[in-house]
Amino acid sequence: MTDPVRIPSQAPDRAHDTNTVERGSFCIARCVCGWSGPARRSRDRARTDAAEHLTAPER
């Protein structure tokens, strides 16, 4: 297993800090706020999910 990849937030004061975690042949994007993206076979797509989460409007 590889180390998680950290994806820095563009706004440091936000309560979001994402990373990707590998589980077998899947990669999952996660955030400290509790959000988690779908399992992806593509690491690049998981990183894109994380980046989209960081730019999504607050709900």
Side-chain angles (χ1 to χ4, degrees):
M1 183 183 288
T2 60
D3 291 330
V5 176
R6 303 205 61 76
I7 302 165
S9 170
Q10 296 298 318
D13 59 340
R14 289 180 67 184
H16 297 280
D17 186 23
T18 59
N19 62 49
T20 58
V21 179
E22 292 186 16
R23 288 205 173 163
S25 60
F26 292 93
C27 189
I28 303 165
R30 292 189 174 169
C31 181
V32 296
C33 76
W35 173 86
S36 145
R40 305 281 191 179
R41 288 194 182 268
S42 166
R43 288 182 190 101
D44 186 51
R45 183 59 185 139
R47 286 190 291 268
T48 301
D49 290 341
E52 289 173 355
H53 171 69
L54 291 175
T55 60
E58 295 289 327
R59 292 184 184 175

